[in-house]
Amino acid sequence: EMIDYIWDVEFSTKTLLGLTRHRIGVSMCVRSTRYTTHKLLKADDLSIFIEPSGNQAVDASAIATMQNIKAMSPTPTNDELSLLLPQSFIYRAQLKLNARSLRHFFSLRNPSTHAHLQIQDLATRLYQSIPEDHKFLYDEYFTGEPNAD
């Protein structure tokens, strides 16, 4: 519990909802849609706002939703826009977990679990970004080998 990790991350609404289930030893500061939706209305490439699902039809549908939002007249308010955003909309956040909470998160969300793919991907990215000399604390969730120390 004495080690805290802090990341700047991007993840979808779906991942954000899954992450909010982890509350002890976890802190998040998520950039409000009030500050991001104005960029959406001005952007030419809407795919930068969508977390890819790996399914082209799903991704195309999410982009079409964003195009429909962009084409609305009159332009929706920020509060109205936030109600229309697809689950794959990308949020930026700062995420802080202590070592115990990170172990718990990895035990539930690593790639060998039944967690949804985007949160598995987040778990993998977090694991890959921690210092090498800390990885022994979490290796069992990613290598399958128990901690020998």
Side-chain angles (χ1 to χ4, degrees):
E1 289 183 27
M2 300 304 287
I3 302 171
D4 285 329
Y5 300 97
I6 301 172
W7 294 272
D8 284 319
V9 293
E10 291 185 345
F11 43 66
S12 68
T13 307
K14 183 171 177 80
T15 304
L16 174 61
L17 292 172
L19 195 54
T20 59
R21 296 174 69 194
H22 299 271
R23 299 189 327 221
I24 298 173
V26 179
S27 300
M28 283 186 285
C29 181
V30 179
R31 184 178 290 179
S32 170
T33 54
R34 291 181 180 274
Y35 301 106
T36 56
T37 50
H38 71 280
K39 292 178 183 178
L40 167 110
L41 296 173
K42 296 177 184 176
D44 292 326
D45 181 10
L46 297 174
S47 66
I48 63 172
F49 296 98
I50 301 296
E51 184 170 350
S53 68
N55 180 322
Q56 289 182 345
V58 170
D59 296 344
S61 178
I63 291 170
T65 299
M66 301 290 265
Q67 289 169 336
N68 289 338
I69 292 170
K70 188 175 174 181
M72 291 178 82
S73 182
T75 302
T77 66
N78 282 335
D79 289 334
E80 293 166 338
L81 269 173
S82 67
L83 297 173
L84 300 171
L85 296 173
Q87 288 284 309
S88 57
F89 182 77
I90 294 176
Y91 287 89
R92 293 193 65 196
Q94 283 195 326
L95 176 63
K96 176 181 162 185
L97 286 97
N98 68 34
R100 180 184 288 189
S101 294
L102 188 59
R103 281 184 58 82
H104 180 69
F105 175 75
F106 287 158
S107 75
L108 298 174
R109 307 300 187 173
N110 73 73
S112 67
T113 65
H114 295 291
H116 72 82
L117 294 177
Q118 287 82 10
I119 206 158
Q120 288 180 21
D121 178 60
L122 176 64
T124 300
R125 286 186 286 143
L126 297 180
Y127 173 74
Q128 290 170 343
S129 71
I130 62 174
E132 287 298 320
D133 59 340
H134 292 206
K135 287 194 176 174
F136 75 94
L137 296 168
Y138 313 104
D139 280 342
E140 65 189 281
Y141 304 114
F142 294 90
T143 65
E145 297 178 17
N147 180 359
D149 294 332

